[in-house]
Amino acid sequence: MKLYIETLGCAMNVRDSEHIISELQKKEGYTLTPNLHEADLILINTCSVREKPEQKLFSEIGHFAKYKKNGAKIGVCGCTASAMGKEIIKKSPHVDFVLGARNISKITSIIHKSKAVEVGIDYDDSTYMFADSKKSNFKALLNISIGCDKKCAYCIVPFTRGKEISIPLDLILKEAHKLVQGGTKEILLLGQNVNNYGIRFSNPHPKIDFTMLLQELSKIDGLERIRFTSPHPLHMDNTFLDEFAQNPKICKSIHIPLQSGSDKILKAMKRGYTQDWYLNRIEYLKQRVPNVGISTDIIVAFPGETNEDFEETMKVLDKVRFDTLYSFIYSPRPNTLSHSWGNKGSIKKEIAKERLARLQERHKVILQENSQNEIGKIHKVLIENNRMLLNETYSEGRSDTNRLVKIREFIDIGEVINVRINEVIGSTLHGIMVQ
Ligand code: 5AD
Ligand code: SF4
C-alpha cells in the first residue's frame, strides 16, 4: 500500500506528518510515494492560520480526485480538519475521512472507516508513544507540548489544537535519547508556547519549567545543538534568558513573535505585554548574547490599527533589527475574538498591502546591513547539504544563529564546523572553514 502526503503550515504540522507516516509504515505496512497517481491513500495535512491556505484546500482535493487511482482514499488532516470538521465532507464528497490536529494518533483506525470525522479538541494524546520514524536524520523535531492556552484575539489555534498540555519529561528524554542514538545531532523542540512548559500535565508530574527541561536535555551526550520554537515574549524571564545565553548546546537563534509594536493593538490582540516589555526583554537578551539571531512574526492591519499604530511597529523593527521577519496581513478567522467584531475597525485592503510592503522593504535593508556586519565573524555551522561536481564543489548549512552559510569545500553532511564569514551574496553568508 502506498501513501502520498502533502503538508502545509508550521513545523508542528511537519512533525504531525512524520508521526502519521511512521504510524502507517510500522503498523499498516505503507510505503511513501511522491507520485499521486500510484497512491492508495492520499493525505493532506492542513493549516488554517490564515484564510488563503484554507481556500487552497478544496482546489487541492479536486486535483487529487482527478488524478488519483481508482479506489484510492483521500483524508484531510490537521488544523483545517479541526476547524471545519464534517463541513469538509459536505463540501467535498471526494473526502473519505477528516482527522483533526489533536487526533492524529487515531490515523491507523480512521483509515479503515468510511466518512469518519475525528476532530475533538479535548482528545489528549500527550502521552501517546508514536511509532519510531524509519528515517534517521541528523536534525530532528521533538514535541514538548500540545495545544495552546493563550487566547490571542486573531488566532484560530486554540480552537484547532485545544488546551495546552505538556508532554511528560521522561517521554521527551526517552525520545531524545532514541533520536541521538539514531544519529541526530540537532533537536528542534516544538510547542505553541515552549517556554510555558510544565504548566499542565495529563497525570501528576514533578514540578518543572522550560529552563529545567533545557538543562535536562543538554545532559544528553552526542546531542550537539538544541533549538526551540516558539517561545512567548511574556514568559521570557531572566532565568530562561540566562540559560539560553550560557548553555553552549542551545543555538543562539530565537523566534520572538512581536505581532504589533503598538500598545493599543497589543492590548486589543490580548498579547499580555507592551512595547516596553518586549524591548526590555530584547535588550536583556542582546546584552547577554550580542550576536543572537532574532526572528519574529508581525501582523499588519489588525482591526483598529491606525497609521500611528503601524509606525510603532516600524519603530520596533528598527530598534530590534530582526534577522528574519515573517509578516502577514490580518485575516479574520472563525471563532476568534476579533472575528466577532465583524467589520468594526477593519482596514482597507490597499492600506494593509501598503503597510506590509513598507514593513518588508524596510526589513530588506536591515537584513542587508545585518549581513554586512557578519563579515569576519566565526560561526558554528551544521552541514546539511553538499555537492561535488566538476565545476562546482560546495557545502552548506545553518549557523547556530540560523543563517544559511555556504563553504566552497566538500564537507560531510552532519558535521559541525567553524566557519569564518568573508562574503555575503543575497541573504546567504559565504565563508571558509577554520579551526
Ligand atoms: N491573520 C494573520 N496572521 C495570523 N497569524 C496568526 N493568526 C493570524 C491571522 N488571523 C500569524 C501570527 C502567528 C503566525 C504563525 O501567523 O503572526 O505568529
Ligand atoms: Fe500550525 Fe497554526 Fe497552521 Fe495549525 S493553524 S498548522 S498550528 S500554523
Side-chain angles (χ1 to χ4, degrees):
M1 297 288 266
K2 295 213 155 119
L3 164 69
Y4 174 92
I5 183 164
E6 193 175 304
T7 306
L8 310 170
C10 63
M12 193 75 83
N13 254 25
V14 173
R15 182 61 178 153
D16 287 348
S17 286
E18 287 179 358
H19 280 148
I20 289 173
I21 294 166
S22 50
E23 286 283 296
L24 290 174
Q25 281 177 333
K26 289 268 166 82
K27 299 180 183 165
E28 297 288 325
Y30 277 85
T31 52
L32 269 178
T33 174
N35 303 317
L36 179 65
H37 58 86
E38 64 174 30
D40 302 283
L41 176 61
I42 298 164
L43 298 178
I44 177 160
N45 196 7
T46 58
C47 171
S48 60
V49 79
R50 281 168 295 276
E51 221 169 346
K52 263 205 192 122
E54 213 172 85
Q55 287 162 355
K56 244 181 71 188
L57 170 65
F58 288 95
S59 58
E60 201 70 354
I61 295 170
H63 174 81
F64 292 158
K66 193 167 163 197
Y67 294 104
K68 79 182 177 90
K69 78 175 184 195
N70 245 346
K73 281 190 166 188
I74 298 179
V76 176
C77 312
C79 286
T80 310
S82 312
M84 293 184 70
K86 55 180 188 287
E87 275 296 296
I88 294 177
I89 292 187
K90 263 198 207 152
K91 266 190 156 171
S92 173
H94 303 298
V95 174
D96 292 286
F97 61 84
V98 178
L99 186 67
R102 185 81 174 219
N103 296 257
I104 56 153
S105 56
K106 297 178 187 163
I107 185 68
T108 50
S109 63
I110 203 167
I111 56 167
H112 299 293
K113 296 178 187 164
S114 171
K115 303 288 169 190
V117 177
E118 296 274 6
V119 294
I121 58 164
D122 295 332
Y123 188 68
D124 177 3
D125 58 5
S126 67
T127 53
Y128 185 83
M129 290 294 282
F130 286 95
D132 293 341
S133 172
K134 272 195 172 167
K135 121 181 151 193
S136 96
N137 216 338
F138 54 92
K139 265 173 91 165
L141 305 172
L142 177 52
N143 289 92
I144 65 163
S145 63
I146 59 172
C148 178
D149 273 0
K150 298 270 180 296
K151 286 275 184 306
C152 299
Y154 51 80
C155 189
I156 199 169
V157 175
F159 304 96
T160 65
R161 292 189 175 266
K163 74 174 182 192
E164 186 170 330
I165 304 181
S166 301
I167 294 173
L169 175 69
D170 59 339
L171 292 190
I172 296 175
L173 291 178
K174 209 165 143 186
E175 187 73 22
H177 274 287
K178 234 189 302 182
L179 287 168
V180 172
Q181 273 157 18
T184 295
K185 292 195 171 169
E186 179 180 304
I187 287 182
L188 172 61
L189 305 174
L190 294 178
Q192 299 297 339
N193 277 306
V194 283
N195 52 345
N196 205 23
Y197 179 77
I199 197 72
R200 182 189 302 116
F201 291 92
S202 303
N203 300 308
H205 191 286
K207 206 172 151 36
I208 184 165
D209 62 17
F210 187 54
T211 304
M212 291 155 79
L213 173 66
L214 290 172
Q215 287 164 347
E216 288 300 318
L217 281 165
S218 44
K219 287 180 195 158
I220 299 177
D221 280 339
L223 177 59
E224 295 194 24
R225 315 221 282 188
I226 302 172
R227 296 186 191 276
F228 49 83
T229 196
S230 291
H232 193 291
L234 198 59
H235 307 299
M236 294 213 162
D237 53 37
N238 291 0
T239 325
F240 160 64
L241 291 176
D242 291 343
E243 180 66 23
F244 178 83
Q246 61 81 30
N247 186 328
K249 287 196 177 180
I250 301 179
C251 287
K252 301 304 178 244
S253 86
I254 187 164
H255 185 69
I256 315 183
L258 169 67
Q259 311 300 2
S260 169
S262 150
D263 285 350
K264 184 191 93 190
I265 297 298
L266 284 170
K267 195 164 176 207
M269 286 176 163
K270 299 211 174 297
R271 289 291 290 168
Y273 54 86
T274 58
Q275 183 196 103
D276 266 358
W277 168 275
Y278 188 92
L279 290 176
N280 169 281
R281 296 295 74 200
I282 298 281
E283 201 183 308
Y284 189 88
L285 174 65
K286 282 189 173 177
Q287 267 169 16
R288 272 149 191 80
V289 192
N291 289 330
V292 61
I294 306 176
S295 59
T296 202
D297 291 338
I298 291 178
I299 299 175
V300 300
F302 186 74
E305 186 187 75
T306 60
N307 283 334
E308 290 72 38
D309 292 321
F310 176 66
E311 292 308 326
E312 290 297 304
T313 301
M314 292 292 283
K315 192 170 112 188
V316 177
L317 182 76
D318 271 315
K319 283 202 167 155
V320 182
R321 303 179 60 80
F322 301 102
D323 293 280
T324 309
L325 166 70
Y326 302 96
S327 50
F328 318 97
I329 291 177
Y330 168 72
S331 158
R333 310 304 298 122
N335 294 321
T336 59
L337 177 64
S338 54
H339 185 263
S340 73
W341 302 337
N343 286 334
K344 216 173 117 203
S346 71
I347 310 295
K348 283 203 186 91
K349 222 179 178 121
E350 307 82 75
I351 296 181
K353 281 186 177 165
E354 250 172 56
R355 287 182 187 164
L356 187 72
R358 255 192 74 200
L359 190 74
Q360 292 177 342
E361 279 305 308
R362 178 69 197 130
H363 181 253
K364 245 192 228 161
V365 176
I366 291 174
L367 182 60
Q368 274 164 6
E369 289 167 0
N370 283 0
S371 298
Q372 286 306 321
N373 288 336
E374 290 291 319
I375 290 178
K377 283 185 188 159
I378 295 177
H379 285 297
K380 268 203 157 37
V381 175
L382 170 61
I383 301 299
E384 297 178 14
N385 248 317
N386 54 21
R387 193 163 177 160
M388 185 155 32
L389 289 175
L390 274 180
N391 55 351
E392 201 186 16
T393 299
Y394 73 82
S395 309
E396 63 183 15
R398 293 257 158 202
S399 69
D400 72 337
T401 54
N402 214 20
R403 293 290 305 261
L404 189 63
V405 179
K406 230 171 170 168
I407 306 109
R408 284 193 190 88
E409 244 178 281
F410 189 84
I411 301 152
D412 287 335
I413 289 178
E415 288 290 300
V416 180
I417 57 162
N418 287 321
V419 179
R420 180 185 291 116
I421 307 304
N422 55 13
E423 202 184 354
V424 184
I425 303 176
S427 59
T428 306
L429 307 178
H430 291 246
I432 51 165
M433 188 155 77
V434 291
Q435 280 309 308

